[in-house]
Each structure stands twice: as C-alpha cells, then as structure tokens.
Amino acid sequence: TCLPKRILVLSRFSDEKGVDLLLNMAPELKSRIPEWKIDVFGDGRKVTEFSRIIQEHNLDDFVFTFLTE
C-alpha cells in the first residue's frame, strides 16, 4: 500500500500567514484529492479558530494539526 500524499504547513498561526485560507479550501481539496492529507505544524493565537474550522468542515480525517511551542 502507498502512504498518503501530504501537504505540509509549518507556520505561526496568525492572520498574516494565511493558514486559514488553506483550511477553508480544505473541503474542496478533500473532495478533489481525498487520498492527500494536510499536516499543519505550529502554534499561535489562531489555534482555537483553526480547530473550529476543522470541526465545522468535518476535516478530522483530512487535516492533522501538531502544536509546537
């Protein structure tokens, strides 16, 4: 079996980094390329908002977040 293809994001979770844009596009990406996964590494003041976006769009099986300090 092949491992899933991955989009990797290493970023501070803030407005200017644009991670929210990727997360809001994720439902469309999931429907077009479901074999891919998104890994987001970072931390910052937008953690709660990003978690909410992932939950609202039911992306728990597509977007994986890893908090760093």
Side-chain angles (χ1 to χ4, degrees):
T1 61
C2 276
L3 294 174
K5 295 178 175 130
R6 305 194 95 69
I7 297 169
L8 297 176
V9 178
L10 306 167
S11 179
R12 183 178 68 241
F13 296 169
S14 61
D15 290 328
E16 61 274 1
K17 298 297 183 176
V19 176
D20 56 330
L21 298 174
L22 175 64
L23 294 178
N24 283 311
M25 290 180 2
E28 179 68 22
L29 294 172
K30 182 179 178 180
S31 71
R32 289 180 183 234
I33 51 171
E35 68 278 6
W36 284 64
K37 304 297 177 206
I38 301 174
D39 293 334
V40 182
F41 294 83
D43 199 3
R45 59 187 170 89
K46 307 273 287 187
V47 169
T48 303
E49 179 183 338
F50 293 171
S51 295
R52 180 188 52 77
I53 292 170
I54 291 167
Q55 293 296 317
E56 284 180 359
H57 293 295
N58 197 26
L59 296 169
D60 290 332
D61 62 340
F62 189 70
V63 177
F64 302 93
T65 56
F66 303 91
L67 299 180
T68 61
E69 294 183 17

